């Protein structure tokens, strides 16, 4: 988050900025793979419950992806049409409706994990989505259409994100005896 803020603080997203963001994402992914390979016996107590056949699992996967794609497209296009009908600006549409539409799969996975008692999936999904969004998704426009970023958007959105990140850290530290565990 701080690296992205520093790169964008000049008000311009360049191709070089995008390369740095993607390099950070690659370094993070390599670190996570290395970390979990090294400490998998200590931290991962994985229990796999197989309830259906492989072929049925593939059918569920493709059916779910199809329904997800169609429903996300329907929700976002309908919301955009409604927002434009009521004269809402493109900035507000992008910051709210499109963000919600692209976050629906993570929300569904987090809710499903919480219902099944796998709370780690929910928090991991939120953190992973944010890391990928900042380092991966933010980098893409810099490759295809480098351009300026208005200061108000940069400071308002990054400010809110920093406050939310610090709040999550405080909740993790202060409410579980400095174990960095969110209960």
């Amino acid at each position: 988050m701080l690296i992205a803020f520093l790169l964008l603080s000049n008000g311009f997203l360049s191709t070089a900025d995008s390369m740095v963001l993607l390099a950070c994402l690659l370094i993070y992914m390599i670190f996570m793979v290395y970390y979990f390979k090294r400490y998998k016996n200590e931290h991962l107590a994985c229990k796999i419950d197989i309830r259906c056949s492989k072929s049925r699992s593939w059918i569920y996967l493709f059916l779910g992806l199809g329904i997800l794609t169609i429903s996300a497209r329907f929700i976002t296009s309908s919301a955009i049409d409604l927002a434009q009908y009521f004269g809402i600006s493109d900035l507000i549409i992008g910051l709210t409706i499109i963000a919600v539409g692209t976050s629906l799969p993570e929300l569904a996975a987090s809710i499903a994990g919480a219902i099944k008692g796998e709370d780690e999936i929910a928090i991991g999904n939120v953190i992973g989505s944010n890391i990928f969004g900042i380092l991966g998704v933010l980098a893409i426009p810099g490759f295809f259409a480098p351009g300026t970023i208005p200061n108000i958007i940069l400071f308002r959105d990054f400010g809110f994100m920093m406050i939310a990140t610090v709040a999550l850290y405080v909740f993790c530290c202060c409410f579980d005896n400095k174990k960095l565990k969110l209960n």
Side-chain angles (χ1 to χ4, degrees), residues 22-115:
L22 285 179
C24 289
L25 179 63
L26 182 64
I27 290 167
Y28 175 77
M29 290 172 63
I30 290 169
F31 170 76
M32 293 307 291
V33 168
Y34 171 77
Y35 178 82
F36 282 109
K37 277 187 173 184
R38 184 170 180 189
Y39 297 107
K40 69 179 176 182
N41 293 335
E42 295 174 24
H43 296 289
L44 298 176
C46 211
K47 182 183 118 179
I48 299 173
D49 185 18
I50 299 173
R51 295 184 181 172
C52 60
S53 67
K54 227 184 237 188
S55 59
R56 182 177 264 183
S57 295
W58 282 107
I59 291 169
Y60 287 154
L61 174 69
F62 289 118
L63 185 64
L65 287 174
I67 292 170
L68 177 68
T69 303
I70 292 167
S71 61
R73 185 181 261 309
F74 177 73
I75 288 172
T76 53
S77 65
S78 299
I80 290 170
D81 290 343
L82 281 172
Q84 288 175 342
Y85 177 77
F86 288 110
I88 298 172
S89 74
D90 290 342
L91 173 64
I92 300 300
I93 292 171
L95 291 175
T96 56
I97 297 169
I98 301 300
V100 169
T102 58
S103 298
L104 286 176
E106 284 102 2
L107 180 62
S110 296
I111 290 171
I115 288 171

Side-chain angles (χ1 to χ4, degrees), residues 46-47 105-129:
C46 211
K47 182 183 118 179
E106 284 102 2
L107 180 62
S110 296
I111 290 171
I115 288 171
K116 293 179 181 179
E118 299 170 359
D119 303 327
E120 298 87 3
I121 289 177
I123 192 71
N125 201 4
V126 169
I127 292 172
S129 177

